[in-house]
Amino acid sequence: MRHSKSLRCLIGACALALGSAVLGPVQAQDAGKSILDTVTPGQLTVLFNPASPPTSFIKDGKATGMAVEIVEEIAKRLNLKTEFRAHADLAGALPAVSNRQYDLAAMGLMRTPEREAVVDFSGSWYYGWFPLVVDKSSGLNGYKNLAGKVVGINKGSIQERYMVDNHPEIKLMAFPNDTAAVAALNAGKVDGVLTASALLEETLKRFPHLTVVARTPTPYPNAFPVRKGNDSLRKALDDGLRELVRDGTYVKIFDKWHAGNALPEPMYKDYPGLDAQRAPGILAPPS
């Protein structure tokens, strides 16, 4: 009986080993889904800004943009579904992620020390700059002309913090998103707008009477926020970003949404292999 029992155990062990050997990459990822801590098992529930092209916006009824495509590509490689939910309020984005309403946010959020106290962040996926936009007919040519005047900003944004810290002489009017701030500028309710660089090309194309009078480099990278302590998802995003850079997918996505622009210089420091895809300063092909 002992020999028979031993034989059954040996056969069972061989069958288990054989099953593991033939488990393909998709099934292997399926087996690992439970390792990732997500709101819905097997799915990334993603907050996105519906009105911030080319970072994240709605086109033909679907979420799209550079941040959205990066998340979609990483999710595909993890064999996860994605569900994108529009959330235009930047100030409420981090609490929504922190409270487990969403797994992450695909929008132009910079990783700052203050925000890192609330949520964890992935590695960088973009660096931008702040364009100060005014009407060409205003006669304004920089911050020095705006003392006592009103500048529109996105509530809770890094631009708001920059203005408070560096230009207390300028009055601020907060808006739920950059699109609303630009609309206020066109309506004459504010004298200028400090917006995100990602939105600039589309804004100037739609409103040729507007112009940029100052450009301020951002000190922090755009990154994906995740719930504090969700190390499994943060690591999966970091690994995914490194893989996108390594195989050239990141550059392809960047070119699609930032045609004619050079890759952000700090990205080369964050991802040493990026220069194998494109040398610093080389412009993406025009659209």
Short mmCIF file of all heavy atoms in Angstrom, two decimals, residues 8 51-52 62 72 92 95 103 126-127 131-132 141 149 171 174 182 191 218 222 245 252 262 276 280 286:
data_model
loop_
_atom_site.label_atom_id
_atom_site.label_comp_id
_atom_site.label_asym_id
_atom_site.label_seq_id
_atom_site.Cartn_x
_atom_site.Cartn_y
_atom_site.Cartn_z
N ARG A 8 1.14 7.05 -6.61
CA ARG A 8 0.10 8.04 -6.91
C ARG A 8 0.61 9.45 -6.70
O ARG A 8 0.33 10.38 -7.45
CB ARG A 8 -1.13 7.78 -6.04
CG ARG A 8 -1.95 6.57 -6.48
CD ARG A 8 -3.35 6.62 -5.90
NE ARG A 8 -3.35 6.66 -4.44
CZ ARG A 8 -3.34 5.56 -3.68
NH1 ARG A 8 -3.31 4.35 -4.23
NH2 ARG A 8 -3.36 5.68 -2.36
N ALA A 51 -11.15 66.50 -20.82
CA ALA A 51 -10.99 67.75 -21.59
C ALA A 51 -9.58 68.31 -21.51
O ALA A 51 -9.39 69.49 -21.29
CB ALA A 51 -12.00 68.78 -21.09
N SER A 52 -8.58 67.43 -21.67
CA SER A 52 -7.20 67.89 -21.59
C SER A 52 -6.34 67.27 -22.69
O SER A 52 -5.38 66.54 -22.42
CB SER A 52 -6.60 67.57 -20.21
OG SER A 52 -5.29 68.08 -20.08
N LYS A 62 -14.86 57.89 -26.78
CA LYS A 62 -13.93 57.04 -26.04
C LYS A 62 -12.79 57.87 -25.45
O LYS A 62 -12.41 58.91 -25.99
CB LYS A 62 -13.34 55.97 -26.96
CG LYS A 62 -14.38 54.98 -27.48
CD LYS A 62 -13.71 53.93 -28.36
CE LYS A 62 -14.72 52.92 -28.90
NZ LYS A 62 -14.07 51.90 -29.76
N GLU A 72 -3.25 51.95 -21.39
CA GLU A 72 -3.84 50.86 -22.17
C GLU A 72 -2.78 49.84 -22.59
O GLU A 72 -3.01 48.63 -22.52
CB GLU A 72 -4.54 51.41 -23.42
CG GLU A 72 -5.86 52.10 -23.13
CD GLU A 72 -6.51 52.65 -24.39
OE1 GLU A 72 -5.77 53.10 -25.30
OE2 GLU A 72 -7.75 52.66 -24.45
N GLY A 92 -10.07 66.84 -7.06
CA GLY A 92 -10.67 65.64 -6.48
C GLY A 92 -10.08 64.34 -6.96
O GLY A 92 -10.47 63.26 -6.49
N PRO A 95 -7.84 62.34 -4.04
CA PRO A 95 -8.71 61.69 -3.03
C PRO A 95 -9.49 60.51 -3.60
O PRO A 95 -9.68 59.51 -2.91
CB PRO A 95 -9.65 62.82 -2.59
CG PRO A 95 -8.87 64.07 -2.83
CD PRO A 95 -8.08 63.80 -4.08
N ASP A 103 -8.18 52.80 -9.53
CA ASP A 103 -6.85 52.23 -9.31
C ASP A 103 -5.75 53.25 -9.55
O ASP A 103 -4.73 53.24 -8.87
CB ASP A 103 -6.64 51.02 -10.24
CG ASP A 103 -7.56 49.87 -9.89
OD1 ASP A 103 -7.60 49.50 -8.71
OD2 ASP A 103 -8.24 49.36 -10.80
N TYR A 126 6.30 61.78 -18.49
CA TYR A 126 6.38 63.02 -19.27
C TYR A 126 6.84 64.15 -18.36
O TYR A 126 6.62 64.12 -17.15
CB TYR A 126 5.00 63.35 -19.87
CG TYR A 126 4.99 64.57 -20.79
CD1 TYR A 126 5.57 64.50 -22.05
CD2 TYR A 126 4.41 65.77 -20.39
CE1 TYR A 126 5.56 65.59 -22.90
CE2 TYR A 126 4.39 66.88 -21.23
CZ TYR A 126 4.97 66.79 -22.48
OH TYR A 126 4.97 67.87 -23.32
N TYR A 127 7.50 65.15 -18.95
CA TYR A 127 7.82 66.42 -18.27
C TYR A 127 7.32 67.55 -19.18
O TYR A 127 7.50 67.50 -20.39
CB TYR A 127 9.32 66.60 -18.08
CG TYR A 127 9.95 65.74 -17.00
CD1 TYR A 127 10.27 64.41 -17.26
CD2 TYR A 127 10.24 66.26 -15.74
CE1 TYR A 127 10.87 63.63 -16.29
CE2 TYR A 127 10.84 65.48 -14.77
CZ TYR A 127 11.16 64.16 -15.05
OH TYR A 127 11.75 63.39 -14.08
N PRO A 131 2.99 77.34 -19.91
CA PRO A 131 2.88 78.50 -20.78
C PRO A 131 1.91 79.53 -20.19
O PRO A 131 0.82 79.18 -19.76
CB PRO A 131 2.33 77.90 -22.08
CG PRO A 131 1.62 76.66 -21.67
CD PRO A 131 2.15 76.22 -20.35
N LEU A 132 2.34 80.77 -20.15
CA LEU A 132 1.47 81.87 -19.75
C LEU A 132 0.83 82.43 -21.03
O LEU A 132 1.53 82.96 -21.89
CB LEU A 132 2.26 82.96 -19.04
CG LEU A 132 1.47 84.22 -18.62
CD1 LEU A 132 0.35 83.86 -17.65
CD2 LEU A 132 2.42 85.26 -17.99
N ASN A 141 3.14 91.24 -21.96
CA ASN A 141 4.26 90.46 -22.49
C ASN A 141 5.02 89.66 -21.43
O ASN A 141 6.16 89.27 -21.64
CB ASN A 141 5.24 91.37 -23.25
CG ASN A 141 5.76 92.51 -22.38
OD1 ASN A 141 5.71 92.42 -21.15
ND2 ASN A 141 6.25 93.57 -23.02
N LYS A 149 -3.56 92.21 -11.79
CA LYS A 149 -4.50 91.64 -12.76
C LYS A 149 -4.81 90.19 -12.37
O LYS A 149 -4.28 89.67 -11.38
CB LYS A 149 -3.92 91.73 -14.16
CG LYS A 149 -3.70 93.17 -14.63
CD LYS A 149 -3.27 93.22 -16.08
CE LYS A 149 -3.00 94.66 -16.53
NZ LYS A 149 -4.24 95.48 -16.46
N LYS A 171 -3.44 88.34 -8.98
CA LYS A 171 -4.65 87.71 -8.47
C LYS A 171 -4.93 86.43 -9.26
O LYS A 171 -4.60 86.34 -10.44
CB LYS A 171 -5.85 88.65 -8.60
CG LYS A 171 -5.69 89.95 -7.81
CD LYS A 171 -6.86 90.88 -8.08
CE LYS A 171 -6.67 92.22 -7.37
NZ LYS A 171 -7.79 93.16 -7.68
N ALA A 174 -9.59 80.45 -9.90
CA ALA A 174 -9.46 79.00 -10.09
C ALA A 174 -10.62 78.44 -10.91
O ALA A 174 -11.77 78.88 -10.78
CB ALA A 174 -9.40 78.31 -8.74
N VAL A 182 -9.34 78.70 -20.16
CA VAL A 182 -9.16 79.32 -21.48
C VAL A 182 -10.46 79.98 -21.95
O VAL A 182 -10.43 81.07 -22.53
CB VAL A 182 -8.68 78.27 -22.51
CG1 VAL A 182 -8.69 78.85 -23.93
CG2 VAL A 182 -7.28 77.78 -22.15
N ASP A 191 -7.16 87.98 -17.28
CA ASP A 191 -6.21 88.65 -18.16
C ASP A 191 -5.20 87.70 -18.80
O ASP A 191 -4.55 88.04 -19.78
CB ASP A 191 -5.46 89.72 -17.37
CG ASP A 191 -6.41 90.76 -16.79
OD1 ASP A 191 -6.98 91.54 -17.56
OD2 ASP A 191 -6.61 90.75 -15.55
N THR A 218 8.65 72.87 -15.76
CA THR A 218 8.09 72.23 -14.57
C THR A 218 9.18 71.50 -13.81
O THR A 218 10.01 70.81 -14.41
CB THR A 218 6.99 71.23 -14.96
OG1 THR A 218 7.56 70.25 -15.84
CG2 THR A 218 5.84 71.91 -15.66
N ASN A 222 5.32 64.26 -14.77
CA ASN A 222 4.00 63.66 -14.78
C ASN A 222 4.16 62.18 -14.46
O ASN A 222 5.07 61.51 -14.99
CB ASN A 222 3.34 63.80 -16.15
CG ASN A 222 2.80 65.20 -16.39
OD1 ASN A 222 2.79 66.04 -15.49
ND2 ASN A 222 2.37 65.47 -17.60
N VAL A 245 9.68 51.93 -22.91
CA VAL A 245 10.85 52.68 -23.34
C VAL A 245 11.83 51.75 -24.06
O VAL A 245 12.35 52.08 -25.12
CB VAL A 245 11.54 53.36 -22.14
CG1 VAL A 245 12.90 53.93 -22.55
CG2 VAL A 245 10.66 54.48 -21.58
N LYS A 252 6.92 55.87 -29.90
CA LYS A 252 5.83 55.86 -30.87
C LYS A 252 4.60 56.59 -30.34
O LYS A 252 3.95 57.37 -31.05
CB LYS A 252 5.47 54.43 -31.26
CG LYS A 252 6.54 53.71 -32.07
CD LYS A 252 6.12 52.27 -32.38
CE LYS A 252 7.21 51.55 -33.16
NZ LYS A 252 6.83 50.13 -33.42
N ALA A 262 10.65 67.55 -29.32
CA ALA A 262 11.70 66.67 -28.82
C ALA A 262 11.23 65.98 -27.54
O ALA A 262 10.39 66.51 -26.81
CB ALA A 262 12.98 67.46 -28.54
N ALA A 276 18.76 55.22 -27.01
CA ALA A 276 18.88 54.22 -28.08
C ALA A 276 17.71 54.32 -29.05
O ALA A 276 17.80 53.88 -30.20
CB ALA A 276 18.93 52.82 -27.47
N PRO A 280 18.81 62.92 -27.70
CA PRO A 280 18.25 64.15 -27.13
C PRO A 280 18.26 65.28 -28.14
O PRO A 280 19.21 65.45 -28.92
CB PRO A 280 19.19 64.45 -25.95
CG PRO A 280 19.76 63.13 -25.57
CD PRO A 280 19.90 62.37 -26.85
N PRO A 286 6.87 65.49 -37.97
CA PRO A 286 5.64 66.28 -37.95
C PRO A 286 4.44 65.43 -38.28
O PRO A 286 4.56 64.39 -38.96
CB PRO A 286 5.89 67.35 -39.02
CG PRO A 286 6.89 66.73 -39.95
CD PRO A 286 7.76 65.87 -39.08
#
